[in-house]
Amino acid sequence: MEEAQTSQPVSPNLQRIAKMAKDFPELCFRTLAHHITPELLRHAAHVTRKDGAPGIDGQTGDSYLANLGVNVQALWQRLREGRYRAPAVRRVHIPKGDGKTRPLGIPTFEDKVAQRAAVMVLESIYEQDFLPCSFGFRPGRSAHDALHELREGMMRMGGGWVLDADIRDFFGSLDHAKLREILGLRVGDHSMMRLIGKWLNAGVLEEGRWTRSEHGTPQGGVISPLLANVYLHEVLDRWFEREVRPRLRGQAFLIRYADDFVMVFSEREDADRVLAVLGKRLAKYGLQLHPEKTRLLDFRRPRDGVKAGSFVFLGFTHHWALSRKGYPIVKLRTATKRLSRALRSINEWCRLNRHQPLAVQQAKLAQKLRGHCAYYGLTGNSAALSRFRFWLTRLWRKWLCRRSRAARKPWDWFQRVLQNYPLPPAKAIHSKLLRPANPSV
């Protein structure tokens, strides 16, 4: 799924919409579709990823941009006259860490452009509504921001009771009728609502068979993250802030990244009460908690020899450890499943590309190593980063040895390879994320 990171409004008109949405939180906008102009579509085409796989029409991003003026004008004409037909999404399956596969939708590039333009218009409204607890697929916010706020909140509270929740197949079970109802609170433009309806009902094409989408958001669609945020803003965020927190005895906060979220409570009684009603709240909107992946755990600061638990959020295991000065702090390390999955991917790439020149392999592996560190390179996670680099190096040697009689060569042969084709070090690059905690908190 493509991230909807479109930054700030790109035109004075959208800036005015954003200001009105901020000044009048209950205002329903009746005219929005006319803001999708050729200029906005042209901008959307430029900020949409060009290296993605083509959709059912086989057109790539580069070929679309080669004749951008004509393509944008034709697209705008169809959108303006209501003749635009959302094409089906091509579905492929990608492996998951547990051996299963995850369906991935690939829209056409033109459909991505149209969705991106619609996101820019809708984002100018909803970015004024979204709460600070929401981080996923929003301009200027990232997973690292969510991790930082979660850790800072737990350090301030001295830990607490963590409700680690998981919504079963959220993007595939989102209720269309409820979504239209929620959108209708802010979007009263029938043309815009019809356009969103076309994307919701476009369906998927898999092995030559078309299947209509009865539930869920467009797979792989640019607009899907925004629709998901709008849905969960009403279902979860506003409910927690307006109805749940005022009724609690102690402190509590919510951190959500798309459909992944955790709630932290200072009191066990509050956590139990919220867990008892959370499933009912989600069921009201056609959603279901995953019974095996939702749990409540004691994550209070370690005391009197009692060891605190740990939980995984956004690919990191959160756990208590001692700082260099000897006081307990919350640390993050790469989750075991994520590390294993990354190494399996490295192993498969080395197996398939062991015939490539060493310079080509070194460049690609260096890129993969830097990409891994770009996400997992947090202060305090150096051991896991070093482990990843160590096993990446061993896997590279393993498959180099299998491409010829090099298997008989000793380790000093491979050390010479590393000297001629060095790999970058594995280091933490997000040191500001986990700045030293205040021991007095």
Side-chain angles (χ1 to χ4, degrees):
M1 181 178 297
E2 291 204 13
E3 290 197 8
Q5 305 262 348
T6 56
S7 71
Q8 298 300 316
V10 297
S11 73
N13 289 335
L14 296 188
Q15 292 175 3
R16 284 194 291 270
I17 290 177
K19 186 177 186 308
M20 291 179 63
K22 184 177 181 179
D23 293 342
F24 304 97
E26 306 298 326
L27 178 64
C28 183
F29 291 81
R30 303 293 178 184
T31 55
L32 290 172
H34 71 282
H35 291 293
I36 301 180
T37 61
E39 292 73 21
L40 188 67
L41 290 170
R42 194 173 294 109
H43 177 77
H46 284 298
V47 298
T48 300
R49 285 182 54 187
K50 318 298 186 299
D51 56 351
I56 61 173
D57 62 354
Q59 187 174 43
T60 65
D62 290 334
S63 64
Y64 190 88
L65 291 180
N67 200 16
L68 182 60
V70 174
N71 289 332
V72 161
Q73 193 66 27
L75 174 60
W76 174 70
Q77 200 71 29
R78 280 177 282 138
L79 289 170
R80 189 184 65 168
E81 297 173 0
R83 295 186 293 108
Y84 182 76
R85 299 186 64 180
V89 174
R90 181 166 69 90
R91 175 185 283 172
V92 297
H93 293 267
I94 57 175
K96 295 172 60 177
D98 55 4
K100 300 179 181 179
T101 60
R102 182 194 307 276
L104 176 66
I106 305 176
T108 65
F109 186 81
E110 182 177 69
D111 201 43
K112 291 180 183 179
V113 172
Q115 290 188 33
R116 180 74 70 189
V119 165
M120 291 178 181
V121 175
L122 295 173
E123 206 171 56
S124 62
I125 298 172
Y126 285 106
E127 275 301 312
Q128 319 312 315
D129 296 346
F130 291 152
L131 299 179
C133 63
S134 170
F135 291 88
F137 305 103
R138 293 184 56 192
R141 292 183 160 229
S142 68
H144 291 146
D145 294 326
L147 292 167
H148 172 74
E149 289 300 318
L150 175 59
R151 179 184 182 274
E152 291 294 299
M154 290 190 295
M155 288 299 300
R156 285 193 299 269
M157 287 173 49
W161 296 89
V162 174
L163 177 52
D164 182 15
D166 182 89
I167 301 177
R168 173 177 282 172
D169 189 24
F170 169 74
F171 285 95
S173 58
L174 188 146
D175 189 293
H176 288 181
K178 291 290 186 181
L179 175 60
R180 291 188 179 94
E181 181 181 327
I182 293 171
L183 285 169
L185 298 175
R186 285 295 242 168
V187 180
D189 186 322
H190 297 298
S191 296
M192 183 67 78
M193 292 295 287
R194 280 196 301 270
L195 184 58
I196 295 173
K198 291 178 181 180
W199 286 318
L200 292 175
N201 298 319
V204 297
L205 188 68
E206 183 176 10
E207 297 181 352
R209 289 178 47 187
W210 178 81
T211 305
R212 180 170 181 172
S213 306
E214 299 292 342
H215 296 85
T217 58
Q219 293 187 25
V222 175
I223 201 171
S224 294
L226 176 63
L227 295 180
N229 275 334
V230 171
Y231 202 78
L232 288 177
H233 169 73
E234 182 66 28
V235 175
L236 193 64
D237 301 353
R238 278 167 47 106
W239 171 72
F240 184 82
E241 290 297 326
R242 296 188 177 187
E243 299 184 33
V244 174
R245 285 202 350 154
R247 293 178 169 86
L248 300 180
R249 292 179 53 191
Q251 304 175 61
F253 66 92
L254 163 70
I255 298 292
R256 181 176 66 81
Y257 189 92
D259 61 323
D260 294 329
F261 66 94
V262 293
M263 297 176 179
V264 185
F265 305 86
S266 61
E267 302 292 332
R268 171 66 185 265
E269 179 184 349
D270 291 338
D272 287 332
R273 288 170 57 199
V274 173
L275 179 58
V277 299
L278 179 59
K280 299 176 183 178
R281 173 66 180 181
L282 296 178
K284 181 180 177 181
Y285 290 87
L287 303 175
Q288 181 182 5
L289 281 175
H290 198 298
E292 299 176 358
K293 297 181 180 181
T294 299
R295 61 179 183 140
L296 181 63
L297 71 147
D298 185 353
F299 197 74
R300 290 174 294 176
R301 181 179 292 155
R303 63 215 178 277
D304 300 329
V306 178
K307 186 178 180 180
S310 63
F311 65 97
V312 176
F313 182 61
L314 298 182
F316 287 91
T317 297
H318 295 65
H319 63 103
W320 284 97
L322 293 179
S323 70
R324 293 181 179 180
K325 296 184 178 180
Y327 53 83
I329 59 173
V330 178
K331 284 192 173 184
L332 280 68
R333 66 171 181 265
T334 309
T336 302
K337 289 185 178 179
R338 291 291 188 94
L339 183 61
S340 299
R341 186 172 68 185
L343 289 173
R344 282 197 300 270
S345 175
I346 294 294
N347 183 71
E348 184 66 9
W349 188 91
C350 290
R351 183 182 72 86
L352 296 175
N353 294 273
R354 62 185 185 272
H355 62 283
Q356 297 281 356
L358 288 177
V360 174
Q361 295 188 48
Q362 181 266 349
K364 188 64 176 181
L365 290 174
Q367 180 185 21
K368 290 179 177 292
L369 180 56
R370 284 191 291 266
H372 185 86
C373 293
Y375 185 75
Y376 294 103
L378 308 184
T379 300
N381 194 35
S382 298
L385 296 176
S386 298
R387 194 178 309 122
F388 176 78
R389 187 185 187 279
F390 171 79
W391 283 108
L392 180 148
T393 304
R394 291 186 69 94
L395 290 171
W396 190 22
R397 178 184 183 274
K398 165 189 167 182
W399 289 108
L400 285 180
C401 288
R402 292 191 180 186
R403 72 177 185 173
S404 67
R405 293 185 178 180
R408 301 176 182 176
K409 294 184 178 181
W411 266 97
D412 58 354
W413 162 80
F414 186 63
Q415 293 301 323
R416 290 194 298 272
V417 171
L418 290 178
Q419 289 176 3
N420 295 325
Y421 303 95
L423 294 173
K427 58 183 180 180
I429 61 176
H430 297 288
S431 58
K432 66 178 181 180
L433 179 71
L434 300 182
R435 58 177 180 265
N438 184 352
S440 64
V441 174

